[in-house]
Amino acid sequence: VSVPLAELLPHPAYSGEATSGDIALGRLQRAVHFRWGLGPVCLPGAGLRFRPGTRCVTTGWGDTG
């Protein structure tokens, strides 16, 4: 699925790839219908803190092969 962005809002603390704030919010030009392999991403609250050693899982997009 390819949908152009209507708006991109980078994190205000972004200062380069793999730095603090390396995230952005994008608003698509049209709605996307979810299906297998295409779904929403849930972000944690800003106050969430993990204890050292906590195992985490990350998600992303791009080339998967």
Side-chain angles (χ1 to χ4, degrees):
V1 173
S2 178
V3 179
L5 286 176
E7 184 176 14
L8 181 66
L9 302 169
H11 191 284
Y14 179 71
S15 62
E17 188 175 325
T19 63
S20 179
D22 188 6
I23 191 168
L25 292 176
R27 185 170 57 87
L28 302 177
Q29 286 186 356
R30 65 175 174 81
V32 172
H33 300 283
F34 300 135
R35 61 177 193 268
W36 184 90
L38 180 64
V41 174
C42 298
L43 299 176
L48 180 65
R49 298 290 182 256
F50 295 102
R51 291 188 307 219
T54 301
R55 294 188 72 154
C56 299
V57 176
T58 61
T59 63
W61 54 85
D63 187 1
T64 60

